[in-house]
Amino acid sequence: MHRTVWALAAALAVVSVAAGCSDTPDGPQREPSQPPAVTSEPASVPESAAKYNALTTELVAALEAKMPDITWTVDDPARLSRAQDGRCILAPRSMKSSADIVKPSKHFEDVFAVADPVLEKHGFPAFDGTDPVPGGWVVTRSTDATGATVTIESKSPAYLRMTVPVQSDTCDSNEIPQGDK
């Protein structure tokens, strides 16, 4: 009985300490947002490429304005692929930062501050938090009503990636307009 009381007290102390811990230096840890239900049909490849490349451009501009010492460049060109369920998925060009963004962004707080208004403008919910991902990665995601997902992940360097369900019979990367690759 005496050991049980001490074990319970020790467990409560650990929980109390853990509850007070935060990865965010200036505030509490945010909870990851939950994706909304998919309520809209995907658009065509050209429409989606234009729409989501505009989102990428605005997110990069906002991040570079907030953290001017860190630049972003194209990492991978846009491509189409079939998901296991048969849907055609557009991966617009992905972006890569010149440096890690975790510390310069105060553990993504600055990312949330500048990216959330851009996401809202494009019909996405706020990032609202980081996901528990092993291996030292800091990851945040947001999904819109068509099921398109924006992901920013950082572990020196950072990456901005998207996956977008699209309407396509052939799911051939040649459907992506040349300027959107």
Side-chain angles (χ1 to χ4, degrees), residues 36 51-52 55 59 115-127 141-151 161-164:
K51 176 181 178 178
Y52 294 101
L55 171 57
L59 284 172
D116 287 351
V118 175
L119 290 172
E120 181 180 351
K121 176 182 169 186
H122 288 270
F124 283 80
F127 279 132
R141 294 179 178 89
S142 180
T143 302
D144 73 4
T146 64
T149 300
V150 176
T151 305
R161 298 184 173 122
M162 285 188 225
T163 56
V164 181

